[in-house]
């Protein structure tokens, strides 16, 4: 038995390239810059939870956009009708439509024809070529509104324009390495590493920055065509609605300082057409006040002392250097086409990010060392090969993350660690199969060939179930949860190469070179628990196991009802802050001070150490502005209570996002469960699928009960934990099911109860060892991983133990119950009709008889 030289060469090249691509991730920047240009320099990008920064999701306000477009269309409607000699009684905007009332109803058709010229054809999508307006006439009354396709096209255009304006604004303030991208139909994701002032970001990104110059009403009298507007200090001004000159005519805006007061001011300059118009306005209105308006707020209202012919001017006010810089950046970048609402905000301090890197790195290394030590103890010298494959697996995972341009988050590190645990599963399956074949008296090469062949289908089935969970996570997840799904999926795919292909080639080469006749894979410590040769009658305890599991699940449902889950800010909306103090936090004093702010329920909880606490405030009435104001109140009060306190992280989730996340979380668990049900049904048969899905429901309810009992945050990371647990649980069942299916072919006349017991005993070693390795991989993450992965690692450690027990004491008994029921049903049918066709497993006739 020899390896193909081309195969060995191919594997060597893959591993060498992987090492080369992953190398920059382990080098400091100073060393990386000195490397030759032809070598790879790309590193895996770190998420904001690891390097600090701000994450905002902005949504185009569809109502505001429609209102603005209709307002501008009112003047256009009057113009086109006037040009054709059609006299309307009135042209007004009413809600989301324009109502035109004609003096002469006979001119209705002509008016509709002219008004249609205001429409624009939709250029993209399924509605391409259609008009964006819907115009209907009813006698002298004509209504104009945007069609659904027109609204979608307007939103699409607004998002595209907003992306460019936001990029310009972010560039103006000099933020390095920003991430600005479209998500969904009407949302924009903005991630700014290192930017620690979310209120300034909101001002920079949420403001439409529509600047215009207006005259004030004569004698300051309000009336028709006049809107009362306020400035920052609350003073009211009667501003004429007519725009004398718009901010589109600005060519530049800079921060300067008043030579008399030394306060910051914003100097602006118009383009040539704007300068001419500005000179004309100021010449005609010497001695009159005029208003500089930004987003319906008066910035200043100076009196025109003399004509301004130079095309430039100044905006003064109570500016700080930062606010003046932001205003100048807004004016230079231009106005947004519509209001953007911040519906999600997450901020992580740089210090917290550095701590997260340290925690993730240390816990990952400790997890790897624990798994490697356990494998070495299990398989002795052959454990070196498994551990070497594990090391290559980790390196290739980082090279794949580098190649696809993935962003590594703390949950992503958890995904890498879990991937290590699942990769070991394949090694354990293969080594246990080879041990089994060796005990049957097979030679070294025969044991390798049979062991790999028989383990392969089990590994494929197990990995497919976990990949289904990863795919659902990626599809429905967001941010760090998607990062976790990507790293876990890559780890599973890469393990098929490192744990199967690479290990097989290397094992054959070692056996050939050392001329081994028999392949003895012995444990390092002989006295270690050895399940071989035992025949435990697990099915005798089937009623006890199912009863205990059912009682625990019922108790979990009760805990879910009361006291219930500790829903995180992801699902209930509101505000969550991480606060660090120099001394031990006095929760009582903080609670008293924060509850006096009138923000509703404010809860505090210590975590990690006595110097760190989580502050949660309920969702505020009044929309996003109220949420923002509440954040500032909380921060100010925290500093007032303890001047040494620092807010290291902030999450602000609006009601729309929290509702969407909750629905997506429930949907993802349901879809993943059904996807696995159908996969097992396809690969095995319906009794296996029913056994797996019932067990899955029991496992998930226990996990929910664990969250309720411990009070851990139930958030997006918790959903990731449950979905991963679903995949892991089914993976565990697949191994036992695969052996049952194999034994049905080998022992055609064996009673089903005895066959199930035999299959469980034969896979007991693999189940124990795999659960132990996954447990060891995640245990350090659960202990030292920090709050960011606490909701994942801790329940996963619990879930691994539950999944291992349920494979033996729940899934197998359910299969036995169904098999017994089918046998009795078949006998009853046979008694009534001798011509009944059989409808049992598709593998072989004998296999059908075994289960039914």
């Amino acid at each position: 038995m020899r390896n193909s030289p081309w195969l060995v060469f191919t594997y060597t090249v893959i591993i060498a390239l992987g090492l080369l691509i992953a190398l920059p991730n382990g080098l400091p920047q100073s060393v990386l810059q000195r490397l030759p240009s032809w070598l790879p320099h790309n590193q895996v990008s770190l998420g904001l939870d690891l390097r600090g920064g701000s994450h905002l999701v902005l949504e185009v306000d569809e109502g505001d956009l429609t209102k603005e477009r209709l307002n501008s269309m009112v003047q256009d409607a009057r113009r086109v009708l006037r040009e054709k000699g059609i006299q309307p009684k009135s042209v007004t905007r009413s809600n989301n439509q324009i109502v035109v009332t004609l003096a002469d109803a006979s001119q209705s058709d002509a008016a509709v024809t002219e008004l249609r010229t205001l429409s624009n054809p939709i250029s993209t999508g399924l509605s391409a070529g259609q008009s964006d307006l819907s115009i209907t006439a009813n006698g002298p009354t004509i209504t104009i509104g945007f069609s659904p396709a027109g609204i979608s096209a307007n939103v699409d255009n607004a998002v595209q324009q907003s992306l460019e304006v936001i990029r310009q604004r972010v560039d103006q303030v000099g933020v390095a390495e920003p991430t600005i991208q479209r998500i969904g139909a009407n949302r924009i994701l903005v991630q700014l590493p290192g930017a620690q002032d979310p209120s300034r970001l909101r001002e920079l990104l949420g403001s439409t920055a529509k600047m215009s110059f207006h005259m004030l009403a004569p004698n300051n009298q309000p009336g028709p065509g006049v809107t009362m507007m306020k400035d920052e200090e609350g003073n009211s001004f009667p501003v004429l609605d007519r725009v004398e000159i718009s901010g589109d005519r600005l060519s530049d805006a800079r921060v300067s300082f008043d030579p008399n007061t030394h306060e910051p001011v914003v100097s602006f300059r118009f383009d040539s057409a704007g300068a001419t118009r500005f000179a004309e306005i100021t010449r005609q209105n010497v001695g009159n006040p005029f208003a500089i308006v930004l987003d319906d707020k008066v910035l200043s209202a100076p009196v025109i002392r003399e004509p301004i012919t130079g095309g430039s001017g100044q905006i003064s006010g109570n500016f700080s250097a930062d606010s003046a810089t932001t205003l100048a950046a807004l004016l230079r970048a231009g106005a947004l086409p519509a209001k953007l609402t911040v519906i999600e905000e997450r901020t992580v301090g740089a210090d917290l990010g550095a701590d997260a890197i340290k925690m993730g790195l240390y816990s990952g290394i400790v997890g790897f060392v624990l798994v490697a030590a356990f494998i070495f103890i299990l398989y002795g010298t052959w454990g070196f090969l498994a551990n070497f494959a594990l090391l290559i697996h980790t390196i290739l995972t980082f090279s794949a993350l580098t190649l696809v341009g993935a962003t590594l988050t703390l949950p992503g590190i958890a995904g890498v660690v879990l991937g290590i645990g699942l990769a070991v599963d394949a090694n354990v399956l293969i080594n246990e199969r080879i041990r089994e074949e060796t005990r049957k008296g097979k030679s070294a090469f025969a044991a390798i060939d049979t062991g790999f062949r028989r383990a392969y289908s089990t590994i494929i089935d197990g990995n497919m179930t976990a990949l289904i969970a990863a795919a659902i996570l990626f599809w429905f997840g967001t941010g760090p949860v998607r990062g976790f799904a990507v790293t876990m999926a890559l780890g599973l795919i890469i393990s098929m190469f490192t744990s199967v292909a690479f290990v097989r080639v290397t094992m054959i080469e070692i056996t050939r070179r050392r001329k081994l006749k028999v392949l003895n894979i012995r444990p390092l410590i002989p006295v270690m628990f050895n399940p071989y040769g035992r025949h435990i009658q697990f099915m005798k305890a089937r009623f006890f196991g199912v009863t205990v599991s059912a009682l625990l699940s019922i108790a979990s449902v009760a805990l879910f009802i009361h006291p219930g889950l500790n829903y995180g800010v992801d699902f209930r909306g509101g505000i969550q802050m991480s606060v660090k103090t120099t001394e031990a936090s006095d929760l009582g004093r903080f609670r008293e001070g924060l509850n006096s702010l009138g923000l509703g329920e404010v809860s505090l909880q210590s975590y990690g150490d006595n110097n760190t606490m989580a502050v949660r405030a309920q969702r505020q009435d009044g929309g996003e502005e109220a949420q923002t104001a509440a954040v500032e109140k909380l921060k100010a009060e925290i500093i007032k209570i303890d001047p040494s306190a620092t807010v290291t992280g902030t999450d602000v989730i609006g009601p729309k996002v929290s509702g969407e996340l909750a629905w997506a979380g429930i949907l993802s668990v349901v879809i993943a469960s059904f996807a696995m049900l159908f996969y097992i049904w396809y690969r095995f048969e319906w009794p296996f699928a029913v056994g797996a899905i019932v067990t899955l429901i029991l496992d998930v309810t226990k996990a929910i009960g664990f969250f309720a009992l411990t009070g851990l945050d139930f958030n997006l990371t918790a959903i990731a934990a449950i979905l991963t647990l679903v995949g892991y649980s089914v993976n565990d069942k697949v191994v036992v099911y695969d052996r049952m299916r194999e034994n049905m072919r080998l022992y055609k006349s064996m009673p089903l109860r005895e066959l199930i017991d035999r299959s469980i005993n034969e896979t007991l070693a693999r189940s124990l060892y795999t659960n132990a390795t996954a447990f060891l991989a995640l245990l350090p993450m659960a202990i030292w991983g920090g709050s960011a992965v606490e909701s994942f690692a801790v329940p996963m450690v619990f879930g691994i133990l539950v999944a291992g027990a349920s494979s033996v004491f729940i899934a197998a008994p359910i299969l036995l119950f169904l098999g017994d029921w089918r046998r009795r049903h078949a006998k009853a049918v046979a008694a009534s009709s001798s011509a009944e066709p059989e409808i049992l497993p598709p593998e072989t006739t004998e296999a059908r008889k075994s289960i039914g």
Side-chain angles (χ1 to χ4, degrees):
M1 193 174 186
R2 286 178 172 272
N3 291 313
S4 165
W6 286 108
L7 192 65
V8 174
F9 174 76
T10 303
Y11 289 177
T12 304
V13 169
I14 290 172
I15 293 170
L17 286 175
L19 288 168
L20 201 61
I21 293 168
L23 181 63
N25 294 293
L27 298 176
Q29 282 294 331
S30 56
V31 176
L32 199 59
Q33 290 170 359
R34 293 199 296 269
L35 290 179
S37 58
W38 53 270
L39 285 174
H41 284 68
N42 293 335
Q43 294 179 311
V44 176
S45 300
L46 297 180
L48 296 185
D49 57 349
L50 293 178
R51 59 175 171 170
S54 292
H55 160 114
L56 294 95
V57 176
L58 305 110
E59 184 176 71
V60 171
D61 189 325
E62 186 180 298
D64 179 71
L65 176 64
T66 302
K67 172 187 168 185
E68 290 292 327
R69 295 288 168 88
L70 290 175
N71 281 340
S72 63
M73 200 178 292
V74 167
Q75 298 299 328
D76 293 334
R78 289 194 181 110
R79 176 179 53 78
V80 297
L81 292 176
R82 187 172 57 249
E83 288 174 354
K84 294 298 179 180
I86 301 171
Q87 294 299 323
K89 276 186 179 180
S90 63
V91 181
T92 58
R93 182 181 68 83
S94 175
N95 296 324
N96 289 329
Q97 59 185 12
I98 295 172
V99 179
V100 179
T101 305
L102 301 176
D104 183 358
S106 64
Q107 293 181 310
S108 179
D109 290 341
V112 169
T113 301
E114 294 306 318
L115 291 172
R116 288 193 194 281
T117 62
L118 299 176
S119 67
N120 294 304
I122 297 169
S123 58
T124 59
L126 297 175
S127 304
Q130 297 180 18
S131 170
D132 64 340
L133 293 180
S134 173
I135 302 175
T136 58
N138 184 14
T141 304
I142 301 171
T143 57
I144 308 169
F146 286 105
S147 64
I151 291 173
S152 297
N154 287 341
V155 170
D156 182 69
N157 292 333
V159 171
Q160 295 293 348
Q161 293 173 9
S162 298
L163 281 169
E164 295 307 315
V165 173
I166 288 172
R167 285 194 184 98
Q168 292 180 42
R169 291 185 182 184
V170 170
D171 288 343
Q172 296 285 353
V173 295
V175 177
E177 300 181 38
T179 299
I180 303 167
Q181 63 189 42
R182 180 175 186 166
I183 54 173
N186 61 345
R187 293 178 183 175
I188 297 171
L189 168 68
V190 181
Q191 291 185 331
L192 305 177
Q196 298 304 314
D197 187 356
S199 59
R200 188 182 175 202
L201 285 175
R202 280 174 173 266
E203 184 182 354
L204 181 68
L205 302 178
S207 170
T208 52
K210 289 188 175 179
M211 186 174 176
S212 53
F213 296 80
H214 303 250
M215 300 307 299
L216 296 186
N219 302 318
N220 290 332
Q221 291 297 317
V226 175
T227 300
M228 297 302 296
M229 296 184 184
K230 294 185 177 183
D231 63 7
E232 289 289 347
E233 296 178 356
N235 300 316
S236 295
F237 298 88
V239 179
L240 293 175
D241 291 343
R242 179 182 174 185
V243 177
E244 299 294 343
I245 183 169
S246 71
D248 297 343
R249 293 299 180 186
L250 289 175
S251 63
D252 193 18
R254 300 287 171 186
V255 176
S256 59
F257 291 89
D258 188 296
N260 298 319
T261 63
H262 305 292
E263 292 180 349
V265 294
V266 177
S267 300
F268 59 86
R269 180 176 296 279
F270 290 107
D271 59 17
S272 57
T276 302
R277 176 64 181 150
F278 195 55
E280 181 182 343
I281 293 168
T282 54
R283 189 178 299 112
Q284 294 173 353
N285 291 280
V286 172
N288 296 324
F290 80 114
I292 304 172
V293 177
L294 180 73
D295 292 342
D296 298 327
K297 187 174 286 185
V298 176
L299 289 177
S300 60
V303 174
I304 301 172
R305 301 296 181 190
E306 57 186 15
I308 303 172
T309 57
S312 61
Q314 278 187 351
I315 305 171
S316 59
N318 295 322
F319 293 128
S320 65
D322 282 345
S323 62
T325 302
T326 299
L327 176 59
L330 290 171
L331 297 180
R332 285 198 302 275
L336 288 165
K339 181 182 177 183
L340 292 179
T341 304
V342 180
I343 59 172
E344 180 181 347
E345 173 193 314
R346 301 180 191 271
T347 305
V348 178
D351 292 340
L352 191 62
D355 290 342
I357 293 176
K358 194 191 319 180
M359 289 176 180
L361 189 62
Y362 288 170
S363 57
I365 291 172
V366 172
F368 184 91
V369 170
L370 287 175
V371 170
F374 185 74
I375 292 296
F376 181 57
I377 292 170
L378 274 184
Y379 302 121
T381 53
W382 285 102
F384 278 119
L385 175 58
N387 287 332
F388 184 61
L390 210 56
L391 180 62
I392 292 175
H393 171 273
T394 306
I395 292 170
L396 291 183
T397 300
F398 275 95
S399 66
L401 290 171
T402 305
L403 282 175
V404 301
T407 299
L408 186 64
T409 59
L410 196 52
I413 293 176
V416 172
V417 174
L418 182 64
I420 291 170
L422 293 175
V424 172
D425 180 38
N427 282 126
V428 170
L429 273 170
I430 290 165
N431 282 312
E432 293 305 318
R433 274 292 193 177
I434 292 173
R435 273 181 173 174
E436 195 174 326
E437 299 304 321
T438 301
R439 283 196 302 275
K440 292 177 182 177
K442 291 189 177 180
S443 65
F445 287 122
I448 291 173
D449 183 58
T450 308
F452 272 92
R453 180 163 42 81
R454 291 188 171 175
Y456 189 74
S457 64
T458 309
I459 293 169
I460 289 290
D461 285 336
N463 283 0
M464 277 302 299
T465 56
L467 281 171
I468 287 171
I472 299 298
L473 269 174
F474 183 82
W475 185 262
F476 288 98
T478 180
V481 174
R482 277 194 162 192
F484 167 79
V486 169
T487 54
M488 188 175 79
L490 286 175
L492 287 166
I493 294 167
I494 291 168
S495 72
M496 293 300 297
F497 169 72
T498 57
S499 300
V500 180
F502 169 75
V503 169
R504 179 187 173 95
V505 167
T506 310
M507 196 172 271
I508 291 172
E509 196 64 26
I510 292 172
T511 303
R512 188 181 66 81
R513 288 182 180 275
R514 295 178 63 182
K515 299 179 180 178
L516 298 175
K517 301 297 182 185
V518 178
L519 198 62
N520 288 315
I521 302 178
R522 296 190 178 91
L524 187 67
I525 304 174
V527 295
M528 191 174 179
F529 169 70
N530 182 9
Y532 304 112
R534 298 172 182 264
H535 187 73
I536 304 169
Q537 294 180 326
F538 290 102
M539 291 303 96
K540 277 189 174 181
R542 62 188 184 279
F543 293 108
F544 176 78
V546 171
T547 303
V548 170
S549 178
L551 288 174
L552 288 174
S553 290
I554 291 169
S556 296
V557 171
L559 286 170
F560 172 72
I561 297 170
H562 182 78
L565 297 175
N566 179 25
Y567 291 104
V569 70
D570 291 336
F571 291 151
R572 63 180 180 180
I575 302 161
Q576 179 169 311
M577 292 180 174
S578 297
V579 179
K580 199 168 186 66
T581 56
T582 54
E583 303 293 334
S585 304
D586 186 344
L587 293 183
R589 197 157 65 105
F590 276 103
R591 190 175 288 112
E592 182 183 353
L594 296 177
N595 279 322
S596 67
L597 296 177
L599 301 176
E601 180 188 354
V602 179
S603 62
L604 288 84
Q605 179 184 357
S606 289
Y607 67 92
D609 53 47
N610 292 331
N611 295 35
T612 309
M613 64 178 177
V615 178
R616 293 185 181 88
Q618 67 183 44
R619 197 167 59 211
Q620 302 297 304
D621 296 329
E624 304 305 325
E625 292 78 8
Q627 294 269 76
T628 304
V631 170
E632 297 305 316
K633 281 185 181 179
L634 286 169
K635 286 183 177 178
E637 186 64 23
I638 286 168
I639 300 301
K640 179 181 174 183
I641 295 169
D642 185 350
S644 71
T646 54
V647 178
T648 56
T650 306
D651 288 351
V652 182
I653 305 295
K656 191 170 186 179
V657 173
S658 62
E660 290 173 359
L661 293 178
W663 174 243
I666 295 168
L667 201 61
S668 59
V669 173
V670 172
I671 290 176
S673 300
F674 274 106
M676 292 177 195
L677 167 69
F678 288 119
Y679 181 79
I680 293 176
W681 195 330
Y682 168 75
R683 288 290 294 156
F684 296 92
E685 204 221 346
W686 75 262
F688 292 94
V690 171
I693 206 68
V694 171
T695 311
L696 209 55
I697 292 169
L698 294 173
D699 287 352
V700 169
T701 54
K702 292 182 186 69
I704 298 290
F706 181 80
F707 274 103
L709 188 64
T710 58
L712 288 170
D713 269 6
F714 194 79
N715 50 24
L716 283 177
T717 311
I719 292 292
I722 288 177
L723 276 173
T724 308
L725 179 59
V726 165
Y728 184 86
S729 177
V730 175
N731 177 298
D732 212 57
K733 277 72 178 164
V734 162
V735 175
V736 181
Y737 283 173
D738 193 71
R739 182 58 65 96
M740 289 178 186
R741 181 174 57 180
E742 182 181 327
N743 284 338
M744 285 175 187
R745 300 189 187 114
L746 296 174
Y747 308 104
K748 302 175 181 63
S749 59
M750 183 179 289
L752 184 58
R753 176 173 167 177
E754 187 179 335
L755 186 142
I756 289 175
D757 272 338
R758 183 185 185 96
S759 301
I760 293 173
N761 279 279
E762 287 175 350
T763 57
L764 185 59
R766 175 266 166 198
S767 297
L768 290 173
Y769 298 157
T770 300
N771 287 336
T773 52
F775 180 86
L776 291 172
L778 287 169
L779 185 61
M781 187 71 70
I783 297 172
W784 299 302
S787 60
V789 293
E790 183 182 53
S791 295
F792 172 82
V794 175
M796 270 301 296
V797 168
F798 166 79
I800 286 167
L801 303 177
V802 170
S806 66
S807 298
V808 175
F809 296 108
I810 311 299
I814 289 172
L815 191 62
L816 178 58
F817 296 152
L818 289 172
D820 288 342
W821 174 82
R822 292 183 70 175
R823 185 171 60 249
R824 290 192 301 270
H825 180 70
K827 286 179 180 178
V829 171
S832 61
S833 173
S834 58
E836 180 71 22
E838 59 173 323
I839 48 170
L840 292 170
E843 278 74 23
T844 63
T845 304
E846 291 77 15
R848 292 186 178 99
K849 291 177 181 175
S850 297
I851 193 170

